[in-house]
Amino acid sequence: MATNLSTPPLSPYLPSDNHHHHRRRPSPLRLPTKKRCTISCSSSKRAPSPPSAVAGEKHSPSLAEQLKPLSTTILSDQPNEANLLLKPKSTWVNPTKPKPSVLSLQRHKRSSSHSHNPQIKDLRNFAKKLNDCEESDFLAVIGGFPHPPTRENALLLLNSLRPWQKTLLFFDWVKAQNAFPMETIFYNVTMKSLRFGRQFQHIESLALEMIEKGIELDNITYSTIITSAKRCNLFSKAVEWFERMYKTGVMPDEVTYSAVLDVYAKLGKVEEVMSLFERGRASGWKPDAIAFSVLAKMFGEAGDYDGIKYVLQEMKSLGIQLNLVVYNTLLEALGKAGKPGLARSLFEEMVDSGLAPNEKTLTALIKIYGRARWARDALQLWERMRLNGWPVDFILYNTLLSMCADLGLVEEAETLFEDMKGSVKCKPDSWSYTAMLNIYGSGGNVDKAMVLFREMSEAGVELNVMGCTCLVQCLGRAKKIDDLVSVFETSMETGVKPDDRLCGCLLSVVSYCEGEDVDKVLACLEQANPELVAFVKMLTSDESTDFDVVKEEFKRILSNTAVESRRPFCNCLIDICRNRNYHERAHELLYLGSLYGLYPGLHTKTQEEWRLNVRSLSVGAAQTALEEWMGTLAKIVQRQESLPALFSANTGSGNHKFSQGLGSAFASHVEKLAAPFTESEGKAGLFTATREDLVSWLQSRAPSVMTTACTN
DNA sequence: CTAGGGTTAG
């Protein structure tokens, strides 16, 4: 049916052209020598407008346009803002006062009243009794309430009951006593307990009851409702209640603001977040560190570097100190935005400011260094962690292992893994084993991988889908197909749900298998993705299948495939066709893959140079692409059209320690074709040919011969 | 702790 193959899944909040220019401009931040100049200083180089809200549409919208989504959806009754601020019901009428004093005052009053309550000990004991009793005995036990159930006594108890069932029983009991009117606070406290139990339905009923009985819903009520909905993933409910709040004229305070900003952020509604943020500021709200942390997280998820700079810059200009959570969020965000160097300098800035990193800080950084293949920085940080006694937890251990897998640090990983086995609190789990399987799997160490596999079942750690994928890849490369089948079968029996990555991995094994092994692996794949197997059989058993049939079926399969697995699927299918001498099919698949956007930037052209970029192609796909290119160039030569002086093909050198030798396979293919491409001295994986050499080589071969000549 | 908000793993 409907597919989105032609349109890659891009965020609707892509930067405008202006931002693009800004991003591409070389930034002084990138200079490694200016470590301490940090992000904050240079962020002032761009205009201080909120980035994504402005960047959200192709033509930068006016402020009014930016606010339109909100004003039409939630301010329909109050078309102008001044109106809102003058509403008598508003609980926040003085926008020049950034922090309403109500909050701290109320909290203070509460704690002092507690200390004056001489019955507090009895009540605490009674609360414990209630918490310990069976739910069925609850109402009987409650009859022994040690003192008159005054407002204060009831509140104290309500605050200390859990789980939510008991809180609710007690709340109903207090209501039935009719000893005093139920105020907002009783509902708020009950809702808080219900939130722990993720009981949004109950919370909403209570809120509706408040409305029905005319009990005021305040900011605490609304923020509790909103965060509960959020916790239950009921984001539209959260928005609905926020809109209701607005409509009834309650102005959000800073807590409600950050709660609801987080809702919009988690929905990916960057524009709404930014316009609400601006709206709040315009009416006197001073965002605090928590609000900025919400923004930072959102920009991180979007990979929006300009947004991250905006957060740093605004915090600086408002004089808000970065705390540990904000630093952690920003570090994570910089990682997602692909800025490892800036993450490193922000971390140094944090440490210099006297803040000690916690587990989350270090996890974020280690992950960033691993992904960036910054082995030196990763190992230095690891060393510093040990020297400074910085905290390590389970997740950090596993992240260190994954980092070792990324960097090919086999010995370090083995040492760490043994440490974990010897520890009490951080025994290796499926994540840890997966990281180790990844290391052995990509390093081709089948024996050690299989030892781990057996060890896992002994240790009672279940293999997950990624561990299964690592093993399948490793056993496939070692041509140990029977072991592969047995690992796959075991995984299925223990409940592993095959995903597209695993299917892609099986498919790649199919591409280089021979004889009965092919059928064995296809039988595995059949269990995970029967349509894919049917398609493979169509490609390899029936040469007469019409191209349009292939095209429709391929499109259908890709539509049902996770985006990150689409190109691997196409690569493998091309390899399968080539290895079975269905070269025309391989060319068709490459064409279809390009058509569906799986190979963006395959060809790049400048005045001086045309380049074929095959870095993300499999060996067979790269060979097919080269042949295709040569065929096209032969036609151009035949038509005597103009050509650039230089031609190049880039296979990349492969940053990964375990990466496959696409370059060498490509080199031997070039050699086989006797094409005049030579690998550059300084740049591994870059093959170049001059126009003169290439043209004379192309002319020496009749165009009609091209496809058949390339079939070896 | 004593009615409400933000951060860690392929």
Side-chain angles (χ1 to χ4, degrees):
Chain A
M1 291 285 283
T3 68
N4 58 354
L5 284 174
S6 49
T7 45
L10 297 173
S11 149
Y13 307 106
L14 277 176
S16 66
D17 284 342
N18 282 342
H19 284 83
H20 231 85
H21 284 304
H22 175 78
R23 280 171 192 224
R24 297 207 168 169
R25 194 185 307 147
S27 151
L29 292 172
R30 286 169 175 258
L31 295 179
T33 45
K34 288 269 180 202
K35 246 191 177 176
R36 284 248 51 211
C37 175
T38 70
I39 308 157
S40 333
C41 325
S42 60
S43 56
S44 59
K45 290 202 171 173
R46 73 181 284 280
S49 55
S52 290
V54 177
E57 291 169 24
K58 273 174 188 164
H59 325 282
S60 281
S62 69
L63 184 63
E65 277 177 287
Q66 286 176 52
L67 293 175
K68 212 175 158 194
L70 265 174
S71 57
T72 50
T73 53
I74 64 181
L75 294 177
S76 47
D77 298 336
Q78 290 95 8
N80 80 55
E81 220 168 288
N83 208 6
L84 256 178
L85 291 172
L86 294 173
K87 285 280 288 190
K89 261 192 174 177
S90 170
T91 57
W92 185 25
V93 287
N94 186 359
T96 53
K97 206 171 187 183
K99 271 209 170 182
S101 51
V102 212
L103 271 180
S104 43
L105 254 172
Q106 249 191 7
R107 280 174 184 165
H108 180 66
K109 228 163 56 182
R110 190 128 313 282
S111 67
S112 72
S113 91
H114 278 202
S115 57
H116 292 310
N117 190 340
Q119 306 164 342
I120 199 160
K121 255 203 158 134
D122 295 341
L123 291 165
R124 286 209 191 286
N125 286 334
F126 187 58
K128 193 176 182 322
K129 216 190 249 176
L130 284 171
N131 277 333
D132 292 343
C133 79
E134 291 294 318
E135 207 182 305
S136 50
D137 300 334
F138 191 85
L139 287 176
V141 178
I142 226 172
F145 206 103
H147 297 282
T150 60
R151 180 188 178 281
E152 276 66 36
N153 289 348
L155 262 182
L156 194 132
L157 256 160
L158 200 56
N159 256 312
S160 39
L161 286 179
R162 67 207 120 96
W164 61 272
Q165 288 91 340
K166 286 182 177 172
T167 314
L168 206 53
L169 282 172
F170 183 74
F171 178 71
D172 288 334
W173 181 81
V174 172
K175 262 198 295 198
Q177 301 302 301
N178 249 329
F180 45 83
M182 292 304 263
E183 300 160 34
T184 306
I185 187 171
F186 285 88
Y187 284 87
N188 291 349
V189 174
T190 307
M191 285 181 181
K192 183 190 169 188
S193 172
L194 289 167
R195 198 185 59 167
F196 270 113
R198 298 177 179 244
Q199 297 297 312
F200 183 73
Q201 295 309 328
H202 283 301
I203 289 173
E204 190 168 50
S205 317
L206 284 185
L208 294 172
E209 184 182 309
M210 291 173 84
I211 292 169
E212 194 195 307
K213 293 187 177 174
I215 298 167
E216 184 199 353
L217 283 77
D218 61 12
N219 259 292
I220 299 176
T221 320
Y222 281 114
S223 57
T224 309
I225 298 171
I226 290 165
T227 53
S228 310
K230 192 169 70 179
R231 204 170 286 188
C232 297
N233 284 323
L234 299 167
F235 294 102
S236 55
K237 276 289 177 191
V239 171
E240 187 188 311
W241 278 95
F242 178 60
E243 291 174 357
R244 187 169 204 145
M245 174 183 176
Y246 241 97
K247 280 182 189 149
T248 53
V250 179
M251 279 298 285
D253 67 9
E254 60 261 73
V255 175
T256 312
Y257 259 123
S258 44
V260 83
L261 284 175
D262 193 41
V263 170
Y264 283 125
K266 297 226 151 78
L267 284 168
K269 300 194 171 190
V270 181
E271 277 190 82
E272 276 84 348
V273 169
M274 290 318 290
S275 50
L276 184 63
F277 187 80
E278 288 303 307
R279 173 177 287 274
R281 289 184 68 169
S283 52
W285 167 58
K286 187 186 172 194
D288 59 9
I290 295 179
F292 279 112
S293 163
V294 168
L295 291 195
K297 168 108 188 185
M298 172 184 77
F299 288 132
E301 295 297 329
D304 185 339
Y305 173 49
D306 288 332
I308 297 165
K309 280 196 297 190
Y310 173 74
V311 168
L312 277 162
Q313 181 191 310
E314 289 301 297
M315 288 188 77
K316 196 185 174 196
S317 73
L318 289 172
I320 300 166
Q321 276 279 325
L322 277 71
N323 64 24
L324 186 56
V325 175
V326 174
Y327 270 117
N328 289 351
T329 312
L330 282 167
L331 287 171
E332 182 101 352
L334 284 170
K336 290 192 170 135
K339 304 283 176 190
L342 294 179
R344 183 176 60 188
S345 41
L346 189 67
F347 174 69
E348 296 304 337
E349 184 182 285
M350 176 189 145
V351 173
D352 288 349
S353 80
L355 266 179
N358 68 5
E359 296 90 335
K360 290 174 186 171
T361 322
L362 300 165
T363 300
L365 264 187
I366 287 292
K367 200 171 94 182
I368 289 168
Y369 292 158
R371 293 234 176 104
R373 320 267 184 238
W374 284 14
R376 204 192 58 202
D377 290 278
L379 289 170
Q380 273 174 4
L381 180 61
W382 196 354
E383 186 59 25
R384 264 168 93 186
M385 285 165 53
R386 281 189 283 237
L387 285 175
N388 294 321
W390 283 339
V392 181
D393 68 0
F394 196 40
I395 294 178
L396 182 48
Y397 266 122
N398 280 341
T399 307
L400 283 164
L401 277 182
S402 303
M403 178 271 290
C404 290
D406 282 334
L407 297 173
L409 302 169
V410 183
E411 278 169 36
E412 287 83 350
E414 283 172 340
T415 310
L416 185 61
F417 193 61
E418 288 306 315
D419 286 351
M420 289 179 76
K421 281 183 187 169
S423 81
V424 186
K425 277 184 80 178
C426 298
K427 292 277 181 212
D429 71 346
S430 65
W431 283 84
S432 331
Y433 274 99
T434 302
M436 293 306 292
L437 286 172
N438 190 10
I439 290 173
Y440 293 140
S442 41
N445 196 331
V446 201
D447 298 334
K448 283 193 173 176
M450 285 306 279
V451 167
L452 275 186
F453 174 62
R454 295 191 189 98
E455 199 179 288
M456 283 179 79
S457 57
E458 281 162 27
V461 179
E462 284 204 346
L463 187 70
N464 61 25
V465 65
M466 193 187 172
C468 177
T469 307
C470 293
L471 277 167
V472 164
Q473 179 187 37
C474 171
L475 292 165
R477 280 191 198 150
K479 298 273 167 66
K480 299 196 167 184
I481 302 305
D482 290 333
D483 284 339
L484 183 153
V485 172
S486 124
V487 165
F488 181 82
E489 295 296 346
T490 312
S491 309
M492 295 304 108
E493 281 161 22
T494 55
V496 170
K497 285 206 149 196
D499 62 6
D500 290 335
R501 285 180 194 224
L502 178 52
C503 291
C505 190
L506 287 166
L507 197 61
S508 83
V509 178
V510 170
S511 76
Y512 53 76
C513 266
E514 287 164 1
E516 58 183 6
D517 282 349
V518 175
D519 297 322
K520 288 178 186 170
V521 181
L522 279 178
C524 293
L525 190 54
E526 175 89 36
Q527 296 174 48
N529 192 338
E531 292 183 338
L532 187 56
V533 174
F535 187 60
V536 170
K537 289 184 173 159
M538 178 202 277
L539 292 174
T540 55
S541 62
D542 193 357
E543 251 180 302
S544 65
T545 307
D546 191 69
F547 171 72
D548 289 329
V549 177
V550 171
K551 178 180 174 182
E552 282 314 304
E553 189 55 22
F554 190 42
K555 186 174 173 182
R556 207 167 64 83
I557 284 174
L558 286 184
S559 309
N560 294 326
T561 303
V563 173
E564 79 270 10
S565 293
R566 290 177 182 176
R567 190 169 58 215
F569 274 26
C570 191
N571 280 338
C572 291
L573 290 166
I574 292 172
D575 287 352
I576 288 171
C577 290
R578 283 191 77 91
N579 293 343
R580 287 155 184 74
N581 278 319
Y582 295 111
H583 284 247
E584 261 184 72
R585 279 278 185 255
H587 281 266
E588 287 171 8
L589 288 172
L590 181 70
Y591 166 76
L592 291 174
S594 307
L595 186 68
Y596 298 139
L598 305 186
Y599 302 109
L602 183 60
H603 294 277
T604 47
K605 291 181 179 181
T606 64
Q607 199 94 48
E608 305 79 29
E609 179 184 343
W610 289 3
R611 177 173 293 190
L612 181 70
N613 303 290
V614 294
R615 300 176 60 144
S616 64
L617 276 64
S618 60
V619 170
Q623 292 170 343
T624 310
L626 178 67
E627 293 166 8
E628 197 68 43
W629 196 33
M630 292 304 105
T632 309
L633 292 178
K635 283 175 198 152
I636 293 176
V637 170
Q638 214 173 23
R639 294 198 294 262
Q640 297 193 317
E641 290 166 21
S642 64
L643 290 170
L646 190 66
F647 294 84
S648 64
N650 187 18
T651 65
S653 52
N655 283 327
H656 199 294
K657 201 175 177 183
F658 302 129
S659 73
Q660 304 265 299
L662 176 62
S664 55
F666 193 85
S668 65
H669 189 62
V670 163
E671 202 176 321
K672 205 172 274 177
L673 297 175
F677 284 94
T678 50
E679 193 163 4
S680 304
E681 283 288 321
K683 295 173 191 164
L686 186 65
F687 297 82
T688 55
T690 62
R691 174 173 51 206
E692 288 66 35
D693 291 346
L694 194 64
V695 167
S696 66
W697 176 74
L698 288 167
Q699 282 169 339
S700 71
R701 313 154 60 103
S704 59
V705 182
M706 279 308 294
T707 41
T708 42
C710 293
T711 51
N712 290 321

